[in-house]
Amino acid sequence: MKKLLALTLALAMALSLGVTALAKDTPIPEGAKVVREIHLRADRVFFYDMRENYYEDEVPTTAKIYLIPDISDGEYSDAVADDGSTISADALYRSNLYDYLGCGEDVTDFFTAKFKKEEGAKAIKSLKLVSKKIGDVVSNGSFYFDGAAERWGFIEGEMKEGFTDDETKIGLTATYKAKDNLDITPWDWGEGALYLAKNGKVIVDFKFYVKNDERGADADFKAGDGGVVVKPQKNEDNEITWESENDTLAWLAFTSDDNAAKFYPKMTTKWSDQDYTDYFADQDAYLYDFIGNPQIASTSRATLDLRYPFVDEDGELTVDPENAVVYTIGEDGVPVDITSEFQFVETDDGDYVLRTKTRRLGTYIIAEKPAASDAEAAGAPAETAGEAPAGKPAAPVKAFLPSFAK
C-alpha cells in the first residue's frame, strides 16, 4: 500500500498547500539560484490500466500503464546550483517541481521527454509523455482529487504481450527537458527564488516488474482478454470458455496430464491488419485467433468447440454447414483448408458448433464459402473493424468482414 499512500499524500499536498500558479517562460530574476539537472528516483511507481485495475507490484503484459514520478520525501537527490551551492533534496521535495511533472498539471506544457530502457527493453512496446484526464486513468474511486476531468501528466507505456508466467524487471530512465525557465521555489524556502533553467533536465529512474497473472484452468474469459496464464489441475478435467457480451464463442475441454503445463489462453475475434484478411474481403468470415498458439498439456487431444456463426436471431441456420469452410493460416500466411478436421454438432444446450480434437490451439476462420485466390486477394483492400456479439454481426467499421469482432 505504500504506492497508494504516496499518491494520496501527493494529492493531499497539492490541495492543502494551495498550489502556486505555475510560471513558465519567465526571465530568471537577479539573485535567484538556478539548477540545470535534478535527479529523482521512482522506485515506487503508480501504474494503472484502462480497466480500472491498480497494480501494486507487477503489471500484466497486456496492460496500458501510466507512470508518474513518486514525489515522496527521500526520493530526490541533492542538486548543484550554477553558483556552486547545494540545493538539498529536502528543499526540492518542498518545491513546485512535482506540479510541473504532472501532479495536477499537463506535463507536456513544461517538458519534453526522452526514455532510455535500462532493463527489460524487449518487454516494452512504447513510451510517450501524455496528458490525460485523471478519470480516464484512475477510474476505480481509490483516490481523492478535485474531479475526474482534471488533467494530469503521465508517461504512457504499452508492454509487449508475453505468453508465459515469467517475471521481467523493467528499469527505464526518463529525462524530462524543460521547455522554459521554471520557477520551482520551495514554498517555505525563504531564500529568494529557485529556478530550473530552460533546457534543464529532470532525470527520473523508474523500476517495476511485468508478469502475467495466473489462474486455474477451469475459467471463463472474455474474447480479447489477456495478461493471464492458466494452470491446469493435474490429471483432472478442465474446461475453459471464451465469451462475447451475449454468447459463448468457444469451449475447450481436456484432461490434464502429469505435467499440467501452464499456457496463455487469450483468444481474439478481431480482424486486425493481418495479411490474410484480404482472402476473405468479399464474404462473411469469422475469426477465432488463439494468441501464441498454445500447447495443451492433456492426456489425449483436447476437444475444441467453435460457435457456428451463421445463425440468425431466430436460431435458424443462414449458411448450410456443408458449404461452410474452416481455415487455419499456414506458415507462409496463406489460408489452409482444414474443414475435414471439424464436425458440425449441436450441443446439449442447443448451440451449433464446429468441433475438433487438438493438442495446440491455433488460428481458425469460419467462412461462408471458399477463400479468394492469391491473385484475387492481392487486389482486395484489407479491412478492419470492432467487436460484435455472436450470431449478430454489427455494421462493420469498414465495408467487409462482418464477424464477432466487428
Side-chain angles (χ1 to χ4, degrees), residues 121-178:
K122 292 182 179 179
I124 302 173
K125 183 177 181 180
S126 65
L127 296 163
K128 61 183 178 181
L129 204 60
V130 299
S131 171
K132 291 280 188 178
K133 291 182 179 179
I134 194 167
D136 292 337
V137 176
V138 188
S139 53
N140 61 1
S142 296
F143 305 99
Y144 298 95
F145 45 84
D146 285 340
E150 183 180 353
R151 301 192 77 84
W152 279 41
F154 296 94
I155 297 171
E156 182 181 83
E158 287 191 61
M159 302 296 106
K160 292 179 182 176
E161 190 163 8
F163 306 134
T164 73
D165 65 338
D166 295 341
E167 181 182 76
T168 301
K169 182 179 180 180
I170 304 296
L172 64 94
T173 298
T175 300
Y176 296 80
K177 186 176 180 180

Side-chain angles (χ1 to χ4, degrees), residues 76-243:
Y76 291 91
S77 298
D78 292 347
V80 178
D82 282 356
D83 63 4
S85 62
T86 297
I87 309 301
S88 71
D90 187 53
L92 293 172
Y93 167 65
R94 298 195 309 276
S95 75
N96 285 338
L97 186 60
Y98 64 87
D99 292 301
Y100 291 111
L101 290 174
C103 185
E105 295 290 339
D106 180 353
V107 68
T108 62
D109 284 344
F110 308 104
F111 291 98
T112 58
K114 291 184 178 180
F115 309 101
K116 182 179 179 182
K117 302 169 186 176
E118 308 285 355
E119 294 182 85
K122 292 182 179 179
I124 302 173
K125 183 177 181 180
S126 65
L127 296 163
K128 61 183 178 181
L129 204 60
V130 299
S131 171
K132 291 280 188 178
K133 291 182 179 179
I134 194 167
D136 292 337
V137 176
V138 188
S139 53
N140 61 1
S142 296
F143 305 99
Y144 298 95
F145 45 84
D146 285 340
E150 183 180 353
R151 301 192 77 84
W152 279 41
F154 296 94
I155 297 171
E156 182 181 83
E158 287 191 61
M159 302 296 106
K160 292 179 182 176
E161 190 163 8
F163 306 134
T164 73
D165 65 338
D166 295 341
E167 181 182 76
T168 301
K169 182 179 180 180
I170 304 296
L172 64 94
T173 298
T175 300
Y176 296 80
K177 186 176 180 180
K179 293 181 177 181
D180 302 292
N181 299 318
L182 302 179
D183 183 353
I184 60 169
T185 307
W187 59 271
D188 64 345
W189 204 29
E191 299 181 29
L194 176 64
Y195 273 73
L196 176 66
K198 183 176 181 178
N199 296 322
K201 297 176 181 179
V202 180
I203 301 172
V204 185
D205 296 319
F206 290 94
K207 295 187 187 302
F208 57 96
Y209 293 85
V210 173
K211 187 178 186 295
N212 286 319
D213 291 337
E214 183 180 310
R215 194 181 303 177
D218 272 330
D220 300 324
F221 293 93
K222 292 288 186 183
D225 280 354
V228 175
V229 295
V230 295
K231 181 175 177 56
Q233 294 291 321
K234 288 183 179 181
N235 302 314
E236 296 288 341
D237 293 337
N238 297 267
E239 182 171 330
I240 301 175
T241 64
W242 293 265
E243 301 173 347

Side-chain angles (χ1 to χ4, degrees), residues 240-253:
I240 301 175
T241 64
W242 293 265
E243 301 173 347
S244 68
E245 292 183 2
N246 300 317
D247 297 288
T248 301
L249 303 180
W251 299 255
L252 180 71

Side-chain angles (χ1 to χ4, degrees), residues 251-372:
W251 299 255
L252 180 71
F254 64 98
T255 301
S256 180
D257 58 19
D258 289 334
N259 183 28
K262 301 172 186 176
F263 65 94
Y264 193 72
K266 180 179 177 179
M267 183 197 76
T268 182
T269 60
K270 282 187 176 181
W271 290 96
S272 299
D273 294 325
Q274 300 98 330
D275 293 338
Y276 56 77
T277 57
D278 292 347
Y279 289 92
F280 304 95
D282 65 341
Q283 62 164 304
D284 287 355
Y286 292 77
L287 175 70
Y288 303 79
D289 190 3
F290 293 89
I291 306 300
N293 293 356
Q295 180 85 21
I296 309 302
S298 56
T299 54
S300 60
R301 290 188 301 164
T303 299
L304 174 66
D305 289 348
L306 303 177
R307 176 176 289 277
Y308 187 72
F310 303 112
V311 181
D312 65 19
E313 294 182 358
D314 297 322
E316 300 295 327
L317 300 177
T318 59
V319 173
D320 190 328
E322 293 187 0
N323 296 329
V325 189
V326 183
Y327 290 93
T328 190
I329 302 301
E331 292 182 0
D332 57 359
V334 175
V336 177
D337 187 338
I338 56 170
T339 308
S340 62
E341 299 178 15
F342 284 80
Q343 215 179 358
F344 179 77
V345 175
E346 183 176 359
T347 69
D348 293 340
D349 294 328
D351 296 307
Y352 293 119
V353 302
L354 290 172
R355 176 171 293 171
T356 190
K357 297 283 189 177
T358 186
R359 291 190 181 275
R360 182 181 294 275
L361 300 177
T363 299
Y364 308 99
I365 298 167
I366 302 176
E368 62 178 330
K369 63 180 182 179

Side-chain angles (χ1 to χ4, degrees), residues 284 286 309-312 387-396 401-406:
D284 287 355
Y286 292 77
F310 303 112
V311 181
D312 65 19
E387 293 282 357
K392 301 177 183 178
L401 295 174
S403 74
F404 295 119
K406 292 187 166 188

